[in-house]
């Protein structure tokens, strides 16, 4: 069963801002970033239990090429995206959203 994906507002904003930042860095880089994050989310939606619990009931999937992780939890048949977060930032920022 694949879960439907729901973004919390801060996570959606982060995703869009980072995609725009990568678009400015080079041709096609923003599109590659979006594809990579979307693939990570699709894999998590297909089998969320495969990913480690990192805080409470929050799980994490990590992008391969970019230094980003997607933090999510499963709620009522949905994969709720809490953060699309640069791994170099302080994790307490996304934890405040939980």
């Amino acid at each position: 069963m694949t879960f439907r994906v729901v973004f919390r507002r801060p996570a959606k904003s982060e995703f869009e801002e980072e995609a725009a930042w990568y678009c400015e860095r080079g041709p096609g880089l923003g599109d590659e970033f979006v594809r990579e994050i979307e693939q990570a989310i699709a894999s998590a939606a297909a089998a969320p239990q495969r990913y480690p619990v990192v805080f409470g009931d929050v799980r994490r999937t990590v992008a391969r090429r970019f230094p980003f992780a997607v933090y999510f939890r499963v709620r009522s048949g949905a994969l709720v995206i809490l953060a699309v977060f640069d791994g170099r930032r302080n994790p307490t920022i996304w934890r405040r959203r939980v």
Side-chain angles (χ1 to χ4, degrees), residues 9-70:
R9 256 184 244 142
K12 187 68 168 174
S13 293
E14 285 169 344
F15 186 30
E16 291 169 351
E17 288 169 13
E18 294 298 340
W21 188 86
Y22 278 110
C23 279
E24 293 172 2
R25 296 302 171 265
L29 197 55
D31 292 335
E32 290 176 36
F33 174 76
V34 168
R35 276 193 301 276
E36 174 103 14
I37 298 300
E38 286 177 345
Q39 178 58 46
I41 291 169
S43 294
Q49 70 284 355
R50 227 173 43 173
Y51 297 91
V53 173
V54 293
F55 185 75
D57 65 344
V58 178
R59 295 176 180 270
R60 177 186 67 203
T61 180
V62 179
R64 290 181 179 184
R65 178 173 176 207
F66 297 90
F68 281 80
V70 177

